[in-house]
Amino acid sequence: MNRHTPDTPQSVTPDQLTIVPANKASWDDLRAVFGTTEAGKCHCQRYKMRESLWNTVSDGERADRLREQTSCDNPKARSTTGLVAYLGDEPVGWCAVEPRTAYPRLLRTRTPWTGRDEDRTDDSVWAVTCLVVRKGYRKRGITYGLARATIAFARDRGARALEAYTMITQPGKEITWGELHVGSRDVFADAGFAQVSKPSPRRVVMRVDFS
């Protein structure tokens, strides 16, 4: 297959994407999405690991953990985590979505809980913790399709509710991936999530309840 990066960026609508559970994607495709930038070093393990362990685990070990969690290359796997987006044959995006309790570090992070009375042990509430768009395909709207796809993914697997811990973005103001990996408020509002709290001037908890 001839992989390439488009020369002229064009907007991508959600219906142009094919989004599949990660076990139905190949590990090579997911690695292509992550690349070698900050996302490719984290491999969506920051919220999975206690802070005391973070610096003791190598980039390669983090990649191995993600590969095991996603069950990439195994369409018949009984469990997976996350979604992979394709534009045609090209893997272009990733979204981490799982029960909130699957993220030990998230349970001790201030943003999800400030001003709310929530049971942190409720595994029927799922969370979107990270969105990654492949280099060369960014700023084309791919996260909009990924955010929409998380709803059916979580609901069909028994979630009672789904949350995201988003950033408030401003037109013309650049935000680094290290901040925006949680997604923007506008992306999740477009998908049908509603704001439930604003724990800081730049962070908003968005949620959709399936009941």
Side-chain angles (χ1 to χ4, degrees), residues 47-48 69 79-82 96-107 113 119-129 150 153-155 157-163 165:
Y47 289 125
K48 288 276 194 177
Q69 292 155 10
S79 65
T80 188
T81 171
V97 52
E98 248 186 307
R100 194 170 56 186
T101 52
Y103 301 104
R105 194 167 178 178
L106 183 66
L107 301 182
W113 316 108
D119 178 4
R120 302 188 188 198
T121 66
D122 185 354
D123 59 9
S124 70
V125 178
W126 283 43
V128 181
T129 59
T150 63
F153 181 77
R155 182 183 57 216
R157 287 159 176 78
R160 178 176 61 83
L162 177 62
E163 295 187 343
Y165 312 107

Side-chain angles (χ1 to χ4, degrees), residues 3-173:
R3 302 289 192 197
H4 66 279
T5 300
D7 295 324
T8 305
Q10 296 178 335
S11 296
V12 175
T13 61
D15 60 3
Q16 290 178 287
L17 296 171
T18 300
I19 300 177
V20 300
N23 65 300
K24 295 184 179 180
S26 75
W27 177 240
D28 285 344
D29 283 352
L30 187 52
R31 285 199 305 172
V33 172
F34 276 82
T36 58
T37 57
E38 185 174 351
K41 295 178 180 179
C42 176
H43 280 97
C44 277
Q45 300 305 298
R46 184 171 293 276
Y47 289 125
K48 288 276 194 177
M49 302 169 60
R50 295 184 182 277
E51 190 170 1
S52 59
L53 295 176
W54 179 252
N55 290 325
T56 69
V57 178
S58 69
D59 296 348
E61 288 176 292
R62 292 170 191 164
D64 289 342
R65 290 183 182 213
L66 180 64
R67 187 173 190 175
E68 181 178 357
Q69 292 155 10
T70 57
S71 298
C72 280
D73 296 301
N74 186 6
K76 295 183 179 180
R78 298 182 64 181
S79 65
T80 188
T81 171
L83 299 163
V84 179
Y86 289 84
L87 182 61
D89 292 329
E90 296 292 333
V92 296
W94 151 262
C95 180
V97 52
E98 248 186 307
R100 194 170 56 186
T101 52
Y103 301 104
R105 194 167 178 178
L106 183 66
L107 301 182
R108 292 183 297 279
T109 300
R110 183 176 65 87
T111 295
W113 316 108
T114 299
R116 305 171 68 202
D117 183 17
E118 281 279 314
D119 178 4
R120 302 188 188 198
T121 66
D122 185 354
D123 59 9
S124 70
V125 178
W126 283 43
V128 181
T129 59
C130 187
L131 295 100
V132 178
V133 175
R134 184 179 177 183
K135 187 176 180 180
Y137 293 88
R138 295 168 187 166
K139 298 183 180 181
R140 298 178 63 187
I142 288 169
T143 54
Y144 283 85
L146 281 165
R148 291 185 187 184
T150 63
I151 294 176
F153 181 77
R155 182 183 57 216
D156 293 349
R157 287 159 176 78
R160 178 176 61 83
L162 177 62
E163 295 187 343
Y165 312 107
T166 67
M167 289 286 297
I168 296 174
T169 57
Q170 297 177 359
K173 185 175 181 179

